[in-house]
Amino acid sequence: MNDKKKHVIKMAHQLFIEKGFQATSIQDILDYSGIAKGTFYNYFSSKNELLMELLKTIYRKMEQDRNELLLGQDPANLEIFIKQIELQMETNRTKKLVALFEEVNFSDDKDLKNFIIKGQLRIIRWFYRRFIDIFGENKKPYLLDCAIMFNGIIYQNMRYSSMAYDSNSSIHKVVQYSVNRIVKVIEEVSQAGEQLIDPEVLTRWFPDEQLEHPYQHRLYNTVLKLKASLTKQDTQAKYHELLDFIQSELTNSKQPRIFLIESAFEAIKNSETPFNENALKQLEQLIKEYK
């Protein structure tokens, strides 16, 4: 994404916060960002598409930061999960995402509504996968139900806590309280052996991603291993950026730029930084597999 497109998205986001999404016109965005109408339509087909691009940008960054918290950590550590949720809630608060989501409910655009629903399902799927990490495979049949319940618990607790304390509610306190409640729920539900929704439904919710998931999972774990082997502060930022670029191209781009991926990988491979050799070979193999 070039700098001018990022600028337009940033300016539009500020307008959505100040005026509301529905009340902001494309002309408002043109005036506020200082671009011509032709430039806008070169980037986006509509205001709705701009909103979707804005949300993708925010969540990509949030997911990267959320994944960074797992570097060198035990995935089963509940405290790490709590930090990840706090990061997610802080992103929602600072970016005013809840207000945007609520406005979308009044939109007549089917694609925009489906986009939001898909995003909500992705969050539930992430909760489900993290619950498997934390509570184990033996509780897996009940963990999608618990992920759905937790999604409701955390967001409603944040909503009403903010109302009670004028948006100054402690995110840590709300998250800690909500996680404590879901731990008890998971214990009770698994002991009772009750299931409402079979986790297999995820294959229907994400039919296009089922074949990709094993590849993405291996890529994600490989990148984590390589980042974990970076111990020098002065080299972390540079190589984190290269690794994030490779991962993003291979998972988010419809047409990954293989020549740039290979160039980034060569820069990593030929560096003097002592990377995990096995993980380096795994990344090279994953790039070859994609080709």
Side-chain angles (χ1 to χ4, degrees):
M1 190 185 300
N2 64 42
D3 290 341
K4 184 173 284 189
K5 185 175 181 180
K6 289 179 183 177
H7 172 73
V8 175
I9 291 173
K10 181 180 179 180
M11 294 298 101
H13 188 197
Q14 291 179 15
L15 284 172
F16 295 160
I17 290 172
E18 293 169 9
K19 298 183 62 174
F21 173 70
Q22 300 292 350
T24 299
S25 67
I26 289 179
Q27 188 60 50
D28 290 332
I29 297 170
L30 299 181
D31 294 341
Y32 197 57
S33 59
I35 62 165
K37 183 179 290 187
T39 303
F40 178 91
Y41 285 107
N42 185 46
Y43 296 144
F44 316 102
S45 63
S46 65
K47 185 177 71 169
N48 289 349
E49 185 179 315
L50 187 157
L51 176 60
M52 288 189 276
E53 193 65 44
L54 165 65
L55 294 174
K56 286 179 185 177
T57 302
I58 292 171
Y59 272 93
R60 280 196 199 110
K61 179 65 168 64
M62 185 271 291
E63 287 168 0
Q64 283 184 1
D65 292 342
R66 196 174 61 187
N67 291 340
E68 296 283 342
L69 291 172
L70 273 175
L71 284 173
Q73 303 293 332
D74 180 1
N77 187 334
L78 195 61
E79 291 304 314
I80 299 300
F81 176 67
I82 288 172
K83 290 180 180 179
Q84 290 179 305
I85 300 300
E86 288 175 359
L87 173 68
Q88 190 164 307
M89 294 301 104
E90 187 62 38
T91 298
N92 287 346
R93 176 179 284 183
T94 57
K95 303 297 184 181
K96 310 293 184 184
L97 296 186
V98 174
L100 283 176
F101 292 149
E102 289 179 346
E103 279 206 76
V104 169
N105 290 331
F106 298 98
S107 171
D108 295 326
D109 189 283
K110 185 178 178 181
D111 289 339
L112 182 56
K113 284 189 172 181
N114 287 339
F115 174 83
I116 297 298
I117 291 170
K118 199 76 169 180
Q120 293 169 340
L121 292 176
R122 288 181 188 280
I123 289 172
I124 288 171
R125 183 178 62 175
W126 182 78
F127 288 154
Y128 165 71
R129 289 174 176 171
R130 289 294 286 117
F131 284 172
I132 294 173
D133 292 336
I134 296 164
F135 300 103
E137 290 281 339
N138 62 317
K139 292 184 174 63
K140 190 174 179 178
Y142 318 107
L143 294 181
L144 179 58
D145 291 337
C146 294
I148 293 168
M149 284 188 278
F150 181 68
N151 187 60
I153 289 169
I154 189 69
Y155 283 100
Q156 292 305 320
N157 282 345
M158 281 299 308
R159 179 189 182 96
Y160 288 102
S161 180
S162 295
M163 288 172 62
Y165 299 107
D166 298 324
S167 300
N168 292 318
S169 59
S170 166
I171 288 177
H172 175 74
K173 186 176 180 179
V174 173
V175 172
Q176 185 74 63
Y177 177 86
S178 302
V179 170
N180 288 343
R181 302 289 71 75
I182 201 63
V183 167
K184 298 295 184 183
V185 170
I186 290 171
E187 289 176 2
E188 191 274 329
V189 169
S190 59
Q191 287 175 6
E194 294 180 330
Q195 183 190 70
L196 182 63
I197 301 175
D198 191 320
E200 285 298 314
V201 75
L202 289 170
T203 63
R204 299 207 310 270
W205 289 349
F206 300 95
D208 298 333
E209 298 181 21
Q210 294 311 305
L211 293 177
E212 298 174 7
H213 174 58
Y215 178 89
Q216 291 178 345
H217 187 68
R218 286 161 56 209
L219 178 62
Y220 165 74
N221 285 333
T222 300
V223 168
L224 274 183
K225 289 177 184 176
L226 288 168
K227 286 182 177 180
S229 64
L230 290 168
T231 56
K232 294 183 179 180
Q233 289 291 122
D234 58 341
T235 58
Q236 279 185 353
K238 173 183 177 181
Y239 292 112
H240 276 215
E241 187 175 344
L242 288 171
L243 288 166
D244 285 340
F245 169 76
I246 292 172
Q247 185 174 3
S248 179
E249 281 289 305
L250 291 175
T251 57
N252 298 322
S253 298
K254 292 182 179 179
Q255 294 182 318
R257 295 165 291 182
I258 297 297
F259 69 99
L260 289 179
I261 293 171
E262 290 178 336
S263 177
F265 177 75
E266 284 301 312
I268 294 169
K269 185 178 178 181
N270 296 329
S271 72
E272 296 180 359
T273 303
F275 282 102
N276 181 313
E277 284 296 324
N278 288 332
L280 207 57
K281 291 177 181 177
Q282 288 169 3
L283 181 58
E284 186 171 27
Q285 180 60 36
L286 286 164
I287 294 170
K288 288 178 180 178
E289 285 180 26
Y290 198 96
K291 290 166 64 179

